Amino acid sequence: MTVAVLFARQDSYYKTLPGCDVYDIDRDARTWKGGCPVVAHPPCRAWGQLSHMAKPRPDEKDLARFAVSQVRRFGGVLEHPKKSKLWADQ
């Protein structure tokens, strides 16, 4: 079974695991066509407890929303901090 790993770090350990289709910043998770479960690690600095001090890119909040939609559609997990404001946004 293949699992898509969305928003991985460039040096992600997932790249060494069989069955992982990894999307890092160069591959852009927004280009993923779907079709299998996902492990999503969208940027959290725009959503975290210290978001008022963060300087996220303008599109970063939408990356997390995209990740949520992919997990809901194809199954899988989304990793975000416990007190992330993303959960209230959904």
Side-chain angles (χ1 to χ4, degrees):
M1 171 191 249
T2 299
V3 173
V5 181
L6 307 180
F7 306 104
R9 290 172 42 114
Q10 286 178 308
D11 62 350
S12 176
Y13 181 72
Y14 287 108
K15 291 180 177 183
T16 68
L17 300 175
C20 290
D21 187 13
V22 182
Y23 287 77
D24 61 14
I25 194 164
D26 295 325
R27 198 162 171 213
D28 193 349
R30 295 170 293 185
T31 66
W32 180 61
K33 303 292 184 201
C36 64
V38 302
V39 175
H41 296 275
C44 61
R45 65 184 168 179
W47 297 100
Q49 286 183 293
L50 300 177
S51 61
H52 62 283
M53 296 170 48
K55 293 181 173 67
R57 295 184 343 222
D59 66 338
E60 276 191 36
K61 279 194 167 189
D62 288 332
L63 298 178
R65 291 178 181 123
F66 171 80
V68 169
S69 71
Q70 299 312 298
V71 169
R72 286 183 174 157
R73 182 169 179 197
F74 297 103
V77 295
L78 188 141
E79 183 183 36
H80 237 237
K82 179 179 178 180
K83 294 185 179 182
S84 172
K85 297 171 192 154
L86 174 62
W87 311 126
D89 187 70
Q90 299 303 302

